[in-house]
């Protein structure tokens, strides 16, 4: 099976967006053993799209399109391909119902061009769009599989994982299972992690080991190919045991876990609640909890006391203390954590104060951050030194705060 | 002049890196008026690379390669292209001196494969590499310009800006400028906007019109080609006036503006401060302000009163009111906005309470949201009906709140 990816959208050719879809799909296709030999990006232009499709048909038996399934006149992937394959387009009832519901819920009138999104190429297998309106689809003609997927990543990713992978796996004669487990790390850099695992990475065959760095976090994805899930899990477990022995201290979670979700889980176990007082992290801690369904069980509330006035008036930090030590100080972080806990009647209070930049504040350098964790048992203040842009520092500060809470809860 | 970009490297096809070079080059080429109609990524494989080159020669007169100029056996772009064009490769003295110096400076012995990096295709114009070893080059054969550039962005970007742009500009008989302006919309969907502008979109030539949708927002980019910046701006102004007349009500900003940045700007003009009380938006309003440098001038603070307890205790919403109307109600939104303003001694208080899902709350459906805006002059409550995933609704609720504040400030 040889695949290629055709990304459709003039915004790619103008450089307005980067082709992250090609990267996402390539990574995922490699995991199930499908080779990708070409990526192409082409604009919203039927003649040029057709040109690209014809080249692809000469060399690949899986052609995956992303983009061009939307409601506007520019969106032409489905129309161009249907005409090229000599197929008609038919309305897909579930997709149409979904679009109707969307507009009904919002009390807005549906415009005519939205109807176009519910159409599929006759005879195709439909991939429902759980996060948008246009469904994806797959159709086989002359031993070539054409897959049409939406362009927006938040629609594409879940559709691919839920509906497209099973479809692609069904194409193999000899079936095998590919299964992955992701280990989530905090407090260790990508290069350090690689150094500690380099011999395993060099020898990798099955499972494979992939390191992925994101904002202040690193993940390691172990992917095994086996005759069934049990065998795949066994292979993964053997390798994971080796990783646990070497770098287990820095693993905080697995698969879809996030720092907020593991903290939330620990809080639930203890029937504890948490409150946050955020200065330089600007609300990122609160957001990471409220993103989780059922957050109100464990998240008592948060305050974004960005200004000195807010720290004093709304949070009740003593003016003398701020005067003496400054808003970015161990002492202020300590008091913020205590006051957050009191204000929201929570079991644990966490605070963040620091300099996110771009300019130093109160003679403190960009990246200086103080994080307080307060419980009935006492308060502890941490001072990680962060770097990066303003937004990097804000987000990293929030993650460090969650990580300290995680470690604290684990020690209890 | 029609260009296409060919990125060479198996790491792209495995999804290990994203093709940011294609984005960078496309943006830069558009700025000097060169249309890019195709991007291709291909692995380190001479047969497949040649396949791609042959397609490109059928349709473009500028073919830009990135990657495959390095020292290893995998790096084959130059070798493959020289053979294809019937040219020899010759050592480039300055490049060789540069490589020698590099190794001498670092006290490392040069390996044989590094010599390969100093080679150029005979007869090409050389682009020195000020940040690495392999030079770039351009060669014209049969009216097609082949440009070979290095893959690492830190080598590519400065080489392109310093040496490649002048080369490309020298190809034009008549020079011209390309300039864009982006109009930012809120409160109007992509399909509705297209319907209102469809005749302009259909007739577009210069300026061109591009619609781009993101989370609850739509942007329209107007791009003009002209002999100089003044003429380009004039062309854009004429078309913009037409858009203003038709859909000006939904335009909140331009280019890099965000809802938070335009609200922040209006607040600064009035020397006003804003405070937020967020329930279902979970801190997203606070974050959107604190992301902006100098936020403390206008953002007094925020409270994430996610639970009913937090609304009562920390924010001071009356328990009876919550009992009677529920936490998701017009009345609660109203009081939250008033209390936020008081708690942080702000001029304007904004509140969000709603059901982000996935389950209904207090018998209210997912997507029901109430937004309050409070000033000394009084309070107003809005009830947009939102849809999407939990995270969509949280983010959209925050954006609606900012938009209502924006409209309110504009009316004052």
């Amino acid at each position: 099976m040889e695949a290629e990816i055709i990304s459709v959208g003039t915004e790619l050719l103008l450089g307005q967006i980067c082709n992250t879809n090609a990267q996402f799909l390539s990574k995922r296709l490699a995991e199930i053993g499908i080779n990708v030999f070409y990526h192409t990006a082409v604009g919203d232009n039927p003649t040029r799209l057709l040109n690209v499709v014809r080249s692809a048909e000469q060399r690949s038996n899986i052609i995956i399109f992303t983009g061009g399934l939307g409601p506007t006149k520019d969106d032409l992937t489905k129309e161009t391909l249907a005409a090229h394959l000599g197929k008609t387009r038919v309305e897909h009832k579930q997709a149409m119902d979904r679009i109707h519901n969307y507009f009904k819920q919002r009390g807005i009138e549906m415009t005519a061009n939205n109807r176009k999104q519910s159409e599929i190429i006759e005879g195709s297998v439909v991939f429902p769009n759980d996060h948008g309106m246009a469904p994806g689809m797959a159709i086989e003609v002359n031993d070539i599989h054409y897959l049409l997927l939406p362009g927006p990543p938040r629609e594409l990713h879940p559709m691919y994982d839920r509906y497209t992978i099973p479809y692609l796996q069904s194409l193999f004669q000899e079936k095998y299972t590919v299964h992955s487990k992701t280990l989530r790390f905090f407090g260790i850099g990508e290069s350090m992690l690689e150094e500690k695992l380099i011999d395993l990475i060099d020898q990798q065959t099955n499972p494979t080991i992939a390191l992925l760095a994101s904002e202040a976090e690193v993940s390691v994805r172990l992917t095994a190919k086996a005759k069934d899930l049990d065998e795949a899990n066994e292979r993964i477990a053997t390798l994971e045991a080796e990783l646990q022995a070497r770098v287990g201290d820095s693993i905080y979670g697995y698969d879809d876990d996030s720092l907020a979700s593991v903290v939330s889980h620990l809080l639930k176990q203890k029937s504890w609640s948490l409150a946050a007082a955020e200065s330089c992290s600007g609300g990122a801690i609160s957001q990471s909890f409220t993103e989780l369904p059922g957050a109100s069980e464990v998240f008592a509330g948060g305050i974004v006391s960005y200004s000195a006035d807010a720290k004093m008036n709304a949070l009740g930090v003593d003016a003398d203390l701020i005067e003496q030590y400054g808003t970015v100080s161990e002492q202020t972080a300590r008091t913020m954590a205590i006051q957050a806990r009191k204000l929201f009647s929570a079991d644990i209070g966490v605070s963040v104060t620091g300099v996110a930049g771009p300019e130093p504040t109160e003679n403190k350098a960009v990246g200086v951050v103080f994080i307080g964790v307060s419980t009935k048992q006492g308060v502890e203040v941490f001072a990680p030194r962060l770097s990066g842009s303003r937004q990097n520092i804000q987000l990293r500060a929030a993650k460090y705060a969650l990580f300290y809470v995680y470690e604290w809860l684990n020690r209890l």
Side-chain angles (χ1 to χ4, degrees), chain A residues 150-393:
Chain A
R154 69 188 168 79
E155 300 179 22
L156 170 68
H157 294 196
M159 180 188 292
Y160 182 84
D161 286 343
R162 185 154 178 201
Y163 304 108
T164 313
I165 291 180
Y167 172 83
L168 288 170
Q169 286 183 321
S170 75
L171 302 182
F172 298 119
Q173 294 297 64
E174 213 180 324
K175 292 204 184 161
Y176 52 84
T177 295
V178 173
H179 188 66
S180 287
K181 182 172 185 178
T182 301
L183 279 53
R184 302 204 167 270
F185 292 79
F186 193 86
I188 185 168
E190 190 185 14
S191 47
M192 175 63 82
L193 195 58
E194 192 188 50
E195 215 172 273
K196 296 198 170 186
L197 304 177
I198 190 71
D199 55 313
L200 300 174
I201 293 169
D202 281 345
Q203 296 155 22
Q204 64 175 311
T205 47
N206 184 15
T208 57
I209 305 176
L211 265 67
L212 282 171
S214 65
E215 201 59 57
E217 294 192 36
V218 188
S219 313
V220 175
R221 190 166 166 130
L222 309 180
T223 305
K225 206 172 190 173
K227 66 173 199 299
D228 56 30
L229 190 62
D230 283 349
E231 192 195 308
N233 276 328
E234 224 169 89
R235 284 178 177 276
I236 289 172
T238 309
L239 181 59
E240 192 195 331
E242 183 61 36
L243 266 73
Q244 287 283 2
R246 297 188 189 190
V247 287
D249 283 357
S250 306
I251 297 176
Y252 76 81
Y254 301 91
D255 297 325
D256 294 333
D257 286 343
S258 65
L259 284 163
S261 78
V262 295
V263 167
S264 177
H265 183 74
L266 289 170
L267 291 169
K268 262 180 206 161
Q269 283 183 341
K270 296 191 200 308
S271 299
W272 270 27
S273 65
L274 177 143
E278 303 186 64
S279 181
C280 79
S281 56
I285 297 177
S286 291
Q287 260 208 306
S288 66
F289 282 106
T290 54
E291 259 174 30
L292 307 169
S296 54
E297 274 181 64
V298 296
F299 182 65
I303 184 159
V304 182
S305 52
Y306 199 69
S307 60
D309 277 354
K311 288 181 185 71
M312 296 183 284
N313 303 337
L315 191 56
V317 178
D318 197 48
D320 290 346
L321 186 141
I322 291 178
E323 177 74 30
Q324 192 177 348
Y325 301 103
T327 56
V328 178
S329 63
E330 194 196 317
Q331 292 77 3
T332 300
R334 178 182 302 274
T335 313
M336 283 171 69
I338 296 169
Q339 293 299 99
R341 190 163 68 82
K342 290 189 185 158
L343 184 64
F344 292 100
S345 313
D347 299 294
I348 186 160
V350 59
S351 70
V352 181
T353 180
V355 186
E359 299 302 326
T361 308
E362 300 172 359
N363 292 318
K364 287 181 180 108
V366 173
V368 169
V369 171
F370 296 95
I371 291 170
V373 180
S374 153
T375 63
K376 266 184 214 158
Q377 283 81 39
V379 197
E380 200 169 330
V381 179
F382 305 86
R385 187 63 191 264
L386 308 182
S387 64
S389 69
R390 180 175 173 87
Q391 285 187 32
N392 292 151
I393 291 174

Side-chain angles (χ1 to χ4, degrees), chain A residues 123-137:
Chain A
S124 41
V125 174
V126 172
F127 306 139
N129 190 338
D130 296 336
H131 296 80
M133 286 190 266
M137 67 204 77

Side-chain angles (χ1 to χ4, degrees), chain A residues 16-35:
Chain A
Q16 290 170 344
I17 58 171
C18 193
N19 195 352
T20 56
N21 288 348
Q23 183 184 16
F24 168 80
L25 290 170
S26 297
K27 214 183 273 177
R28 287 286 205 274
L29 288 162
E31 285 168 6
I32 57 168
I34 297 179
N35 294 317

